[in-house]
Amino acid sequence: GAVVSQHPSWVICKSGTSVKIECRSLDFQATTMFWYRQFPKQSLMLMATSNEGSKATYEQGVEKDKFLINHASLTLSTLTVTSAHPEDSSFYLCSARDFTGGRQETQYFGPGTRLLVL
Amino acid sequence: GESVGLHLPTLSVQEGDNSIINCAYSNSASDYFIWYKQESGKGPQFIIDIRSNMDKRQGQRVTVLLNKTVKHLSLQIAATQPGDSAVYFCAENIWAAGNKLTFGGGTRVLVKP
């Protein structure tokens, strides 16, 4: 149980284009999902909290107009990197909380999406 | 708080020995802690968790110890195996502060055959 998927697993795009990453909870409903970014040999940095049916909450320093988050259903959240630039190249991770399994704070992570902007 | 750096601390351990990974957390209001294992190119995998009203919790081959007095968390892995080679992160959660996880800097574990 508590499986989270991400798509695509990797993407290469040209500078200036937009990229959409999907995060799905496969066997549970997730009212809250989280988006993280991880640079090589570094820890995970929380970008935003995605709430089903409402606006995302962004961490300080994260541009909400550049990283668009949509949480349209209880099993799907999307992150769109708009007008991507090489400095946006990173490993993007999503996680979700399973409120049905008991421990409400536990976050389960997807496999990640590696983005390379040329 | 969050720790960022280019060089992860590394723990080298002989296969079959026990491993102890340490984590210092900063916020005394943290009420829930998780250990994650991250293999190269993959997402973090949940290992074990512990609430702040406990000081020890055991799983399969793993034990988490919590010392709130000195704000210290540790993960013990018994009989370390080659498949345990990965980067291990501790994460702290504060329910009252938005129920978000804050990750530590990570420790790389290398298991020598």
Side-chain angles (χ1 to χ4, degrees):
Chain A
V3 179
V4 177
S5 71
Q6 278 183 246
H7 179 80
S9 56
W10 59 270
V11 58
I12 301 173
C13 69
K14 293 182 179 180
S15 185
T17 60
S18 294
V19 175
K20 179 186 281 188
I21 303 170
E22 292 186 350
C23 177
R24 293 182 185 272
S25 55
L26 297 186
D27 52 359
F28 65 100
Q29 294 184 330
T31 55
T32 305
M33 291 183 173
F34 302 86
W35 287 97
Y36 294 81
R37 182 166 50 182
Q38 186 179 33
F39 293 106
K41 297 185 179 180
Q42 294 189 16
S43 188
L44 286 74
M45 295 176 57
L46 179 65
M47 299 174 66
T49 302
S50 172
N51 303 297
E52 187 269 336
S54 64
K55 292 183 179 180
T57 305
Y58 290 82
E59 295 299 301
Q60 193 172 11
V62 178
E63 300 175 59
K64 62 179 181 180
D65 294 330
K66 180 169 183 63
F67 299 99
L68 302 178
I69 291 172
N70 184 276
H71 195 150
S73 76
L74 288 173
T75 59
L76 173 63
S77 175
T78 60
L79 169 69
T80 301
V81 183
T82 63
S83 187
H85 288 95
E87 56 266 30
D88 297 324
S89 299
S90 187
F91 192 46
Y92 290 86
L93 290 153
C94 74
S95 70
R97 278 205 295 253
D98 180 4
F99 279 86
T100 62
R103 287 197 176 270
Q104 297 185 1
E105 304 93 331
T106 304
Q107 289 185 29
Y108 297 94
F109 281 83
T113 297
R114 190 162 300 282
L115 170 64
L116 177 61
V117 185
L118 302 177
Chain B
E2 196 171 288
S3 173
V4 174
L6 294 178
H7 300 285
L8 290 171
T10 299
L11 173 68
S12 291
V13 60
Q14 200 70 36
E15 181 179 356
D17 288 351
N18 296 335
S19 303
I20 299 177
I21 307 165
N22 296 302
C23 177
Y25 64 94
S26 56
N27 200 322
S28 57
S30 295
D31 49 26
Y32 177 66
F33 304 86
I34 306 178
W35 279 102
Y36 288 96
K37 171 187 178 183
Q38 187 178 29
E39 296 176 271
S40 181
K42 297 183 179 180
Q45 175 188 354
F46 173 88
I47 301 175
I48 192 168
D49 58 0
I50 188 168
R51 293 186 187 277
S52 59
N53 61 354
M54 303 173 68
D55 52 22
K56 181 179 180 179
R57 191 156 187 258
Q58 289 184 294
Q60 189 175 13
R61 279 202 308 121
V62 294
T63 300
V64 56
L65 298 178
L66 175 63
N67 186 329
K68 293 183 289 295
T69 302
V70 295
K71 296 200 284 288
H72 183 267
L73 193 69
S74 69
L75 177 70
Q76 300 178 6
I77 305 174
T80 312
Q81 303 169 359
D84 295 326
S85 292
V87 176
Y88 290 80
F89 292 98
C90 65
E92 58 185 301
N93 183 86
I94 304 174
W95 181 273
N99 209 16
K100 300 179 292 187
L101 290 178
T102 300
F103 280 78
T107 297
R108 182 179 304 279
V109 172
L110 292 176
V111 181
K112 297 177 288 185

